[in-house]
Amino acid sequence: MLKMNHNHMNHSMHMGNFKKRFWISLVVAIPILLISPMMGIKLPFQLSFYGSNWVVLILATLLFFYGGQPFFKGAKMELMRKNPAMMTLIVMGITVAYVYSLYSFIANLYNPNMKATNFFWELSTLILIMLLGHWIEMSAVSNAGNALQKLAELLPKTVRKLNKDGSEETISLKDVIEGDHLIVRSGDKIPTDGTIIKGQTIVDESAVTGESKGVKKYISDKVIGGSINGEGTIEIQVTATGEKGYLAKVMNMVADAQREKSKLESLSDKVAKWLFYVALLSGILAFIFWYFLTNLSEALQRMVTVFIIACPHALGLAVPLVIARSTSIAAKNGLLIKNRNALEQANEINTIMLDKTGTLTKGKFTVTGIEIVDKDFSKDEVLSYLGALEENANHPLAISIMNYLKEEKVTYHHADSIKNISGVGIEATIKDRTVKIVNEKEIKRLGLSIDKKFIERYQEQGNTISFLLIDKHLVAMIALGDAVKSESIQFIRTLKERNITPVMLTGDNENAAKIVADYLGIEEYYADLLPDDKEKIVKKYLDSGKKVVMVGDGINDAPSLARASIGIAIGAGTDIAIDSADVVLINSNPTDIVHFLNLAKETRKKMIENLWWGAGYNIIAIPLAAGILAPVGIILSPAVGAVLMSLSTIVVALNAITLKAK
């Protein structure tokens, strides 16, 4: 069986934790805010009663360990990676605030005249604001889902095994071994990779390979676990199970790519890292300076003031508020943003890799055009003859025609004496007339004239043209294929205008790929690709210093979506592709990628502004708190630091609201 990767935390559980933790922490913090002074300033609404200092200590201790728990975990991970960032900065702030306040409490208990300042108020507000910031961000960024879980669900739990004595039995998929013979009936999921040893069928591999056209399979042909058996029962010999199977390989590629991506450092983490080092160095230098200049108590208070002023109240809200606003605008415009880093990285993108089927094309093999040559026949009559010819055929083109007729709700005639003409098409007697559907080669052999403009228009998009003959007279031309989306040409043009290189990736053959690439004006393209080929190409471009967006819709795109700088899934695609991506185009319109790039540009601009507002006050406040201007009589008091901190938080919130989408 396929093994799941558990390294990725469940997003909705995370969000629920922050939400619950915030509300419980708020209840605990309210009494602290009402009783404890703000950086030594007694506020007008504050209460005081016998034993109130004990109430504050007990509640602050609860808040420190309960509300601070996610930040302790995060800081531990950052320090294990030797990369301190936001979590480490928060933990430094709350730990210093708590430990020093505990020291002040004990000092005041033994010497009431000492009146040592405590920072329980700052501890409470920092924990609350940080929990709120994380909750806002988790709520804003869509549930990432679990691509790996959904990949595992593609396979059935039980299979029909054919024993050597000819009997059948139902067994668990995990008990299947290489060499087993399995029965796969029409409409069933193919449980493992294997080779057909009996029967023939058409397999729907679209969920696995992204190819829209059903694939005809005969004895000795290979089948992929997770694809769907179409017409007919087949017997397969298992060639790979569990970890060796195609889906398992895809899962491993997705998991590896997600692990690599999780190491990306966000803008706010970069700012927090430098702020941590600056605060740590400033605090230590301040302690040394004031210790030799005054005494231990004054030196300690000066150091603690530096550490607490460095607490990122505004910084904690700077990015989450912008992300919340940005994702809200995106959702209203058909974009689902699932990874905040996508908004930050979009400005550096210089290459967009596009899966052909389902992204640039509609991803559905069907009738793309009909040209009536004989005006005595209506479109419905032509379709009625087509339906009669193809009703009992089971090749991929016939299935596409019949699906189209169902959508058009066409009632078709009855056909007699149907026969396949090898290398030509199908012939039948319909309403006492000889009716054929043939290829272009047969039309040329018969010397019939055809509309070359119609042929060229559809063939340049990679369509197959069939011809309907009634009594050797050409009646209609039918184009079949996976139609290029009407928006794709303008989309490719816009990318080039922005100096972004479009690259097309497809599992189709070289000829089909070239036709579509030439039609759309794409110079770089890769054909005949397997999923790991796509992922390798993305990695090759990344390794060469390119910033790559990958756009796709199938399971075969999942590894490359996870690997790319930004993975964008088409909303009409598979769940696995959607779960592996950073952004989802709800309307499946490639033009929305341009809208995403525009929004990301505005979002990053706001993020940088907010980070300056959030961290900017520290640039002034930290040196002043350390006492750099003490020789001229200017020392920043904790009270002034608190006012500056509050102002920067308000500015950050107001600035986030002004984000607009162009």
Side-chain angles (χ1 to χ4, degrees):
M1 286 295 284
L2 302 178
K3 289 180 185 172
M4 298 306 305
N5 181 297
H6 293 286
N7 290 336
H8 304 284
M9 294 183 184
N10 182 285
H11 174 98
S12 54
M13 182 185 77
H14 240 348
M15 192 177 87
N17 279 352
F18 275 114
K19 181 180 177 181
K20 180 184 170 188
R21 206 173 283 272
F22 169 76
W23 286 116
I24 292 172
S25 297
L26 181 63
V27 170
V28 174
I30 287 170
I32 300 172
L33 300 176
L34 290 173
I35 300 168
S36 185
M38 178 178 78
M39 280 198 174
I41 313 167
K42 217 167 167 78
L43 299 171
F45 56 79
Q46 273 171 344
L47 307 171
S48 184
F49 51 87
Y50 181 74
S52 58
N53 56 338
W54 281 98
V55 172
V56 169
L57 175 67
I58 292 163
L59 292 175
T61 303
L62 276 172
L63 188 61
F64 176 66
F65 288 106
Y66 176 74
Q69 195 232 6
F71 308 117
F72 291 125
K73 274 189 178 175
K76 184 183 174 185
M77 284 173 68
E78 287 176 358
L79 293 171
M80 280 170 71
R81 288 180 185 170
K82 297 178 182 172
N83 191 25
M86 182 66 81
M87 293 297 189
T88 314
L89 185 61
I90 295 166
V91 166
M92 183 181 77
I94 63 174
T95 304
V96 168
Y98 178 73
V99 172
Y100 185 79
S101 299
L102 190 61
Y103 155 77
S104 298
F105 178 86
I106 295 165
N108 289 331
L109 203 63
Y110 285 99
N111 183 6
N113 296 322
M114 189 175 178
K115 292 183 180 175
T117 306
N118 72 61
F119 293 104
F120 287 131
W121 197 92
E122 290 67 40
L123 170 73
S124 306
T125 53
L126 183 59
I127 287 175
L128 284 179
I129 285 174
M130 290 303 142
L131 287 172
L132 178 63
H134 281 76
W135 175 26
I136 288 170
E137 191 173 326
M138 290 280 179
S139 302
V141 178
S142 162
N143 186 345
N146 192 332
L148 304 179
Q149 181 67 47
K150 291 206 173 111
L151 273 165
E153 286 168 4
L154 276 180
L155 300 178
K157 289 184 172 59
T158 59
V159 298
R160 295 291 295 167
K161 181 185 173 185
L162 186 69
N163 295 317
K164 287 179 180 174
D165 61 4
S167 63
E168 283 184 37
E169 65 172 320
T170 301
I171 63 167
S172 171
L173 179 61
K174 66 172 181 281
D175 295 329
V176 173
I177 57 170
E178 282 181 41
D180 277 354
H181 289 198
L182 306 178
I183 303 290
V184 186
R185 293 189 167 82
S186 177
D188 286 352
K189 286 178 181 175
I190 294 172
T192 67
D193 294 3
T195 304
I196 297 177
I197 53 174
K198 189 176 180 184
Q200 63 180 52
T201 186
I202 293 171
V203 176
D204 177 2
E205 294 181 347
S206 59
V208 180
T209 65
E211 178 53 58
S212 57
K213 189 161 56 176
V215 184
K216 190 88 176 172
K217 299 280 185 179
Y218 301 96
I219 289 171
S220 299
D221 284 346
K222 290 185 169 68
V223 289
I224 304 169
S227 54
I228 299 168
N229 183 27
E231 304 290 326
T233 298
I234 54 170
E235 185 182 325
I236 67 166
Q237 182 171 355
V238 177
T239 55
T241 63
E243 298 301 306
K244 294 177 185 174
Y246 173 91
L247 280 184
K249 286 172 186 169
V250 172
M251 285 173 70
N252 288 334
M253 284 189 282
V254 170
D256 288 345
Q258 285 176 339
R259 268 196 300 276
E260 285 295 312
K261 217 170 192 176
S262 69
K263 293 173 188 171
L264 278 173
E265 198 173 34
S266 67
L267 273 171
S268 52
D269 278 339
K270 285 174 187 172
V271 172
K273 176 164 72 177
W274 285 108
L275 199 52
F276 170 76
Y277 287 129
V278 168
L280 193 64
L281 185 64
S282 302
I284 292 166
L285 288 174
F287 176 81
I288 295 166
F289 177 80
W290 287 98
Y291 177 73
F292 286 109
L293 198 69
T294 56
N295 55 52
L296 177 64
S297 178
E298 181 64 31
L300 205 56
Q301 186 163 356
R302 203 43 44 201
M303 181 178 74
V304 169
T305 304
V306 169
F307 287 156
I308 290 171
I309 275 175
C311 289
H313 283 70
L315 203 60
L317 287 177
V319 171
L321 287 174
V322 174
I323 286 171
R325 174 76 179 147
S326 180
T327 50
S328 170
I329 292 168
K332 287 173 189 169
N333 290 280
L335 293 163
L336 198 61
I337 294 170
K338 298 167 52 185
N339 183 349
R340 57 167 276 182
N341 283 336
L343 288 164
E344 296 183 18
Q345 289 200 292
N347 295 276
E348 300 167 17
I349 293 304
N350 50 34
T351 306
I352 291 192
M353 297 192 168
L354 302 135
D355 172 51
K356 179 181 81 70
T357 308
T359 303
L360 295 169
T361 67
K362 290 179 180 175
K364 190 176 169 191
F365 204 81
T366 185
V367 175
T368 53
I370 295 175
E371 178 81 2
I372 309 295
V373 178
D374 187 335
K375 301 304 176 189
D376 290 338
F377 290 84
S378 67
K379 181 184 173 183
D380 280 356
E381 280 182 288
V382 167
L383 292 176
S384 295
Y385 280 108
L386 269 179
L389 281 168
E390 303 285 13
E391 183 183 8
N392 296 308
N394 67 351
H395 59 84
L397 291 179
I399 291 165
S400 301
I401 290 171
M402 296 313 294
N403 287 337
Y404 177 77
L405 296 184
K406 275 181 201 166
E407 286 172 15
E408 295 289 309
K409 295 177 180 166
V410 172
T411 307
Y412 34 88
H413 301 308
H414 174 70
D416 294 310
S417 310
I418 299 174
K419 61 179 177 180
N420 284 307
I421 309 167
S422 182
V424 173
I426 302 172
E427 181 183 313
T429 304
I430 303 169
K431 294 174 75 175
D432 298 323
R433 304 177 81 170
T434 302
V435 183
K436 291 182 186 177
I437 186 159
V438 299
N439 55 26
E440 191 177 351
K441 190 174 164 186
E442 179 67 3
I443 291 292
K444 285 176 180 172
R445 192 188 70 78
L446 293 170
L448 297 172
S449 62
I450 52 177
D451 182 349
K452 286 195 174 150
K453 283 185 183 173
F454 175 86
I455 303 289
E456 285 167 6
R457 187 165 81 247
Y458 283 96
Q459 281 184 340
E460 69 182 4
Q461 293 183 46
N463 287 267
T464 300
I465 313 293
S466 295
F467 303 84
L468 182 70
L469 301 177
I470 298 180
D471 295 330
K472 296 186 179 178
H473 177 63
L474 180 61
V475 171
M477 297 185 286
I478 302 98
L480 291 131
D482 182 10
V484 173
K485 289 178 181 174
S486 56
E487 318 88 52
S488 293
I489 293 176
Q490 182 54 49
F491 168 62
I492 296 299
R493 199 173 293 146
T494 305
L495 291 183
K496 288 180 171 180
E497 285 166 6
R498 288 177 170 236
N499 293 320
I500 296 172
T501 306
V503 180
M504 189 179 82
L505 307 179
T506 180
D508 281 355
N509 61 56
E510 171 71 24
N511 186 48
K514 187 178 189 313
I515 288 167
V516 175
D518 290 347
Y519 178 71
L520 291 172
I522 297 173
E523 284 86 25
E524 291 182 46
Y525 67 90
Y526 298 84
D528 294 310
L529 300 177
L530 293 169
D532 49 337
D533 294 330
K534 288 186 180 182
E535 197 249 2
K536 281 171 189 167
I537 291 166
V538 170
K539 192 171 185 305
K540 182 179 86 174
Y541 274 71
L542 290 171
D543 290 344
S544 71
K546 302 281 187 189
K547 293 291 181 184
V548 179
V549 166
M550 173 67 197
V551 187
D553 69 334
I555 289 169
N556 63 325
D557 299 316
S560 42
L561 285 168
R563 172 71 63 191
S565 308
I566 301 172
I568 299 181
I570 299 294
T574 62
D575 287 349
I576 287 91
I578 288 168
D579 286 351
S580 301
D582 304 302
V583 180
V584 181
L585 307 182
I586 297 167
N587 301 321
S588 302
N589 184 343
T591 308
D592 284 341
I593 295 167
V594 178
H595 300 155
F596 164 70
L597 294 174
N598 291 339
L599 177 63
K601 185 179 178 183
E602 292 301 311
T603 302
R604 186 182 162 93
K605 187 176 156 193
K606 280 289 173 198
M607 280 180 183
I608 291 168
E609 286 173 10
N610 263 10
L611 288 170
W612 271 110
W613 281 112
Y617 97 99
N618 284 303
I619 296 168
I620 301 164
I622 289 174
L624 290 177
I628 198 166
L629 295 180
V632 293
I634 299 172
I635 297 177
L636 184 71
S637 71
V640 176
V643 171
L644 283 172
M645 193 165 62
S646 303
L647 280 173
S648 68
T649 307
I650 293 163
V651 171
V652 156
L654 292 173
N655 192 44
I657 294 165
T658 61
L659 175 66
K660 296 277 190 299
K662 289 183 183 176

